[in-house]
Amino acid sequence: MISYQVIEHGKPLQKVMQETPKPKGTEVLVRITRSGVCHSDLHIWDGYFDLGGGKRFYMKDRGCVPPFTMGHEPFGIVEAFGANAKGVKTGQKRIVFPWIGCGKCPVCRDGLDNYCVAMRSVGVMRPGAYSTHLLVPHPRYLVDASGVDEAFAATLACSGVTAYSAVSKVAKLNARDWVAVIGCGGVGLMAVSVLKAKGIRNVVACDVDQGKLAAASKLGAKLTLDTRAPDATQKLQALAGGYLAAAIDFVGMPATAMLGLGALRKGGRYVLCGLYGGELVHPLPAFVQRVISLVGSYVGNLQELKEVVALAKKKKLKPSPLDTRPAERANDALEDLKAGRVLGRVVLDFEGLEA
Ligand SMILES: [Zn+2]
Ligand SMILES: [Zn+2]
């Protein structure tokens, strides 16, 4: 098999040829056809997350040490499986759910793999989908997406399920309420699409890039805000008529957190999803007096992936712009993403690669 691997953090990925793994027990070998490129791959590539105040969280401290293969938006064809893998057939086209937990602890037993403290995520803690082949530990992590475009289906594994899970953390809305989507990259645009699919119409998209705001409008955002305005918080409050019930932040930097928290109505909820980094300094009494809350949202669970795929199958979920490129251009894709030149999602095409 051919993989594009991180050999050294922050340096171009290298094409590596290895023996194709043989599935054992419950394992399934998937031949990758499409593999989405996610913004969080940039952090994994760099090898750390910025915790603010000069502090960093290093991937190597969680056992993620080069050489390794990134890629957590896998779509492909079942090629082989172990003797104990039930309910799976060769030739089936499937999304691979990447947010895999230990499978044994109470949260995993409840189907909340993404709350497991010993996660073994695809493309993070185990080899990922920037590869012609991917070994999946159990057939339960394969999701049928028949009828959905393959590149779009791949992106549902992270950007789709992450947006869906974040939107599900928005509390019940009244008729006047608005929701702000802060950051209209691949995941933010999917959130606009999920909100629309769920019938939530009062959506204001926020970004610093006019092209991304235009894409958000096309997907159903009623209003947009260029957050470079010095009085962006007041502008956001005004656009929502004082009824901003939720702000979902797909950037996650101090400025976007202050924007989201600052613009909420009383009782509002700020859902933090982006991992850009930094730290938050905010007056504590405001949480009490304004009855606001801050909730984190990390990827999503298998059931949520199935639900977002169901929306896509029913054509209720519009895809964000997709740019499919040959797998050989994996490094360009990462560079373009880093420079903010990607509108929507880049998806790598592995079909042309022979291994
Ligand atoms: Zn991702
Ligand atoms: Zn677990």
Side-chain angles (χ1 to χ4, degrees):
M1 67 173 184
I2 298 170
S3 306
Y4 287 86
Q5 288 194 328
V6 178
I7 302 297
E8 197 180 332
H9 284 301
K11 297 283 162 61
L13 305 185
Q14 287 182 27
K15 185 175 179 175
V16 175
M17 189 83 97
Q18 286 167 299
E19 198 165 326
T20 307
K22 290 197 172 40
K24 296 186 287 285
T26 61
E27 290 173 341
V28 181
L29 181 69
V30 174
R31 165 133 198 165
I32 296 297
T33 59
R34 297 288 184 278
S35 183
V37 179
C38 177
H39 203 274
S40 67
D41 285 332
L42 296 179
H43 298 291
I44 301 166
W45 184 33
D46 282 338
Y48 65 89
F49 287 82
D50 177 9
L51 301 179
K55 298 183 288 291
R56 286 175 170 184
F57 167 87
Y58 287 97
M59 296 298 298
K60 63 176 162 51
D61 297 336
R62 287 288 166 91
C64 181
V65 180
F68 68 89
T69 308
M70 301 195 295
H72 55 257
E73 289 190 338
F75 184 90
I77 303 167
V78 173
E79 193 166 276
F81 47 87
N84 301 325
K86 305 293 178 211
V88 62
K89 287 191 188 125
T90 54
Q92 286 177 325
K93 290 187 166 185
R94 293 289 184 263
I95 299 171
V96 179
F97 175 74
W99 310 113
I100 297 174
C102 72
K104 297 179 195 115
C105 73
V107 289
C108 281
R109 289 216 182 110
D110 283 345
L112 299 169
D113 285 55
N114 57 328
Y115 290 11
C116 177
V117 293
M119 283 182 80
R120 298 286 302 151
S121 304
V122 171
V124 188
M125 305 304 294
R126 66 168 77 233
Y130 291 0
S131 184
T132 53
H133 292 81
L134 179 69
L135 205 54
V136 183
H138 195 280
R140 68 169 165 266
Y141 300 118
L142 303 177
V143 177
D144 175 33
S146 305
V148 181
D149 168 76
E150 292 187 12
F152 182 36
T155 68
L156 297 176
C158 178
S159 89
V161 76
T162 300
Y164 187 85
S165 188
V167 167
S168 74
K169 291 179 179 74
V170 171
K172 194 174 182 301
L173 301 171
N174 68 44
R176 278 197 193 178
D177 279 339
W178 283 76
V179 177
V181 171
I182 302 172
C184 295
V187 189
L189 288 177
M190 278 309 301
V192 171
S193 203
V194 168
L195 286 160
K196 168 111 192 220
K198 290 188 138 192
I200 298 165
R201 299 181 61 237
N202 291 345
V203 174
V204 51
C206 306
D207 205 286
V208 296
D209 181 313
Q210 288 299 331
K212 290 176 185 171
L213 291 176
S217 293
K218 261 194 188 163
L219 288 172
K222 206 184 258 185
L223 297 174
T224 61
L225 174 67
D226 185 335
T227 50
R228 284 173 301 187
D231 54 346
T233 303
Q234 289 73 23
K235 285 209 159 95
L236 181 51
Q237 281 173 329
L239 287 174
Y243 279 88
L244 190 71
I248 316 175
D249 186 353
F250 294 102
V251 183
M253 57 166 61
T256 56
M258 292 308 277
L259 171 68
L261 285 165
L264 290 175
R265 69 155 162 76
K266 278 183 93 171
R269 189 172 290 183
Y270 167 74
V271 181
L272 175 56
C273 203
L275 287 164
Y276 185 92
E279 60 189 343
L280 178 66
V281 178
H282 193 277
L284 289 171
F287 283 95
V288 180
Q289 289 158 343
R290 295 172 54 216
V291 210
I292 53 174
S293 57
L294 185 162
V295 56
S297 190
Y298 179 65
V299 298
N301 61 49
L302 182 57
Q303 179 56 31
E304 287 170 325
L305 176 60
K306 289 177 180 171
E307 288 170 17
V308 76
V309 168
L311 286 177
K313 281 183 172 176
K314 284 188 225 151
K315 311 283 179 215
K316 282 192 168 179
L317 194 69
K318 280 199 233 168
S320 60
L322 295 169
D323 171 1
T324 303
R325 303 182 186 184
E328 292 91 331
R329 292 182 56 207
N331 282 306
D332 296 356
L334 290 171
E335 290 295 347
D336 284 350
L337 198 57
K338 194 170 201 167
R341 289 190 293 259
V342 172
L343 180 64
R345 211 42 150 198
V346 174
V347 178
L348 300 174
D349 177 354
F350 278 87
E351 265 176 318
L353 277 182
E354 289 301 324

